[in-house]
Amino acid sequence: MKTGFIGLGRMGFALASHLLRNGVDLTVHDLQAGPVDRLVAQGASRAASVQELAASVDVVFTMLPGPKQAREVILGEGGVLAGLRQGSYLVELSTIDTDTVDALAATAEKQGVRFADAPVGRLAAHADRGESLFMLGAHDADRAALEPLLLKMGTTVLHCGAPGSGTRMKLINNLMVLCYCQLNSEALVLAGALGLDACKTFDVLTGTTASNGQLKEKWPVKVLKGDLTPGFDIALGFKDLTLACQAAQSASVSLPMGNLARSLFQLARHAGKDGQDTSCMTDFWAESNGQPPIRL
C-alpha cells in the first residue's frame, strides 16, 4: 500500500525511517523541513500539505504532539480527512485523549475511512532500532491489513480491541510508567539520605520485585548517568498524566497517585525541568529534599 506519514519528531522520524528501510512506498509531511529533507534523501516523496499527502496514499500514519494538533491536522479544514478516499486507512499513532480518539474514529467512519489507533510503546531508543511495540485499536477486519505494516516499524503488535482501545491502553500504560518516575525517584533519594551506596541500592532494587522496566533500562543510561537529554520530555510526560487523570475523572474513578504525580511533574516543570527527560524527576526530588544528585 502507498503510505503517508505526518509528524516527523523524535519518534515519528524513527518510525518513518524503518518504513523506508523495509521497502514501503512512503510520502512524508512535517512543519519542519529538516526531517522531511532527510527522508526524501533516503527515498521518500514529499507532500506540500497534509491534504495533498492524504489524497495520494492508501494509508496515513499520524504521530503528533497531542490532542489539539491531532484535531487540527486530521479534522481541520484542509486536513487529512479532507483528502483521504473512501476505503483508505487512517492510523493515529499519537498519544491523545479518549474524547479526541473517539471523535476521529466517528468522523472517519462517517466518511468511509477505516480508522485505527496504534500508540507506541517502549522507548525512543527502541524506535531507533525498529523494536517498537504498538497498542492497536482496530476492527478485526482491518487488523490483518495493518499489522504487517506496523511490523515494518517495530517487533510487536498487541491488538487491544476496537478503535479507541489502543489509546485507552496507552493511557493506562503511561500512567504506570510515569508514576514509576516518582516512585523510583523517592526510593533512590531516600536511599541516598539514609547513607546507602547508590550502586548497591540499584542492584537490590533491580534484583527484587521492586524492579520495573524504566528503572532497569532507562535510569542507568539517563538520569543516573547524568544524561537528561529528552528521550521522553517531561512536558510530554505531564501531558500524558493529564490525559490519564482526565480519563479517570470522566469514568468517575479516583486516581490519587496519578493526580499527585501530575502535580509533582508540574512542580518540576516550574523548577526549570522542561526540555529534560522524565527521569529528571529524580534530580528534582533530590533538589527538593536538599540532597545531592543520585549517580551511579
Side-chain angles (χ1 to χ4, degrees):
M1 293 188 290
K2 290 186 177 181
T3 302
F5 204 109
I6 299 169
L8 303 173
R10 177 67 180 86
M11 294 288 282
F13 182 86
L15 296 174
S17 296
H18 287 293
L19 287 173
L20 277 176
R21 292 189 186 104
N22 284 292
V24 173
D25 183 340
L26 187 67
T27 301
V28 295
H29 177 80
D30 192 89
L31 293 178
Q32 302 299 319
V36 174
D37 291 341
R38 293 197 294 276
L39 289 173
V40 168
Q42 296 174 32
S45 299
R46 183 195 312 266
S49 69
V50 297
Q51 186 174 354
E52 176 187 305
L53 178 146
S56 67
V57 299
D58 304 302
V59 56
V60 172
F61 289 106
T62 52
M63 174 60 90
L64 302 163
K68 179 177 181 290
Q69 294 84 359
R71 286 180 179 269
E72 290 173 351
V73 170
I74 296 170
L75 300 178
E77 184 178 353
V80 172
L81 286 176
L84 276 173
R85 303 182 303 276
Q86 288 190 357
S88 55
Y89 293 88
L90 169 61
V91 185
E92 172 60 285
L93 302 175
S94 318
T95 301
I96 55 177
D97 63 283
T98 54
D99 288 345
T100 297
V101 75
D102 290 347
L104 298 181
T107 306
E109 183 177 2
K110 287 178 183 177
Q111 296 186 201
V113 171
R114 299 176 179 183
F115 178 81
D117 57 328
V120 183
R122 299 177 180 158
L123 305 175
H126 291 103
D128 292 338
R129 299 192 296 266
E131 298 172 356
S132 291
L133 175 151
F134 298 93
M135 303 169 212
L136 176 62
H139 293 302
D140 289 337
D142 299 325
R143 177 183 175 185
L146 294 174
E147 280 191 350
L149 202 51
L150 290 168
L151 288 172
K152 291 182 183 295
M153 298 185 283
T155 60
T156 308
V157 177
L158 300 178
H159 187 220
C160 300
S165 61
T167 291
R168 287 166 167 80
M169 189 68 74
K170 179 65 182 288
L171 296 183
I172 297 300
N173 181 80
N174 278 22
L175 169 67
M176 291 191 66
V177 168
L178 296 164
C179 285
Y180 268 127
C181 286
Q182 179 62 24
L183 293 173
N184 291 341
S185 303
E186 289 181 13
L188 290 167
V189 171
L190 178 59
L194 294 176
L196 295 171
D197 177 79
C199 289
K200 290 183 173 64
T201 300
F202 185 81
D203 288 343
V204 169
L205 295 182
T206 58
T208 69
T209 54
S211 177
N212 62 76
Q214 286 273 301
L215 189 60
K216 281 184 177 180
E217 296 186 29
K218 185 176 186 180
W219 256 244
V221 298
K222 298 301 291 183
V223 65
L224 297 183
K225 188 181 179 183
D227 178 8
L228 298 175
T229 56
F232 189 7
D233 192 294
I234 194 168
L236 291 177
F238 173 77
K239 182 263 292 184
D240 285 3
L241 282 168
T242 299
L243 296 177
C245 291
Q246 288 173 342
Q249 184 176 11
S250 296
S252 299
V253 172
S254 178
L255 204 64
M257 180 59 194
N259 281 288
L260 175 59
R262 177 183 180 276
S263 296
L264 291 166
F265 269 57
Q266 182 73 307
L267 288 175
R269 295 183 68 204
H270 287 317
K273 302 301 184 184
D274 267 5
Q276 296 185 14
D277 188 79
T278 51
S279 63
C280 76
M281 286 299 293
T282 300
D283 279 2
F284 168 70
W285 205 241
E287 294 161 9
S288 298
N289 285 279
Q291 296 294 317
I294 310 301
R295 300 289 184 264
L296 292 179

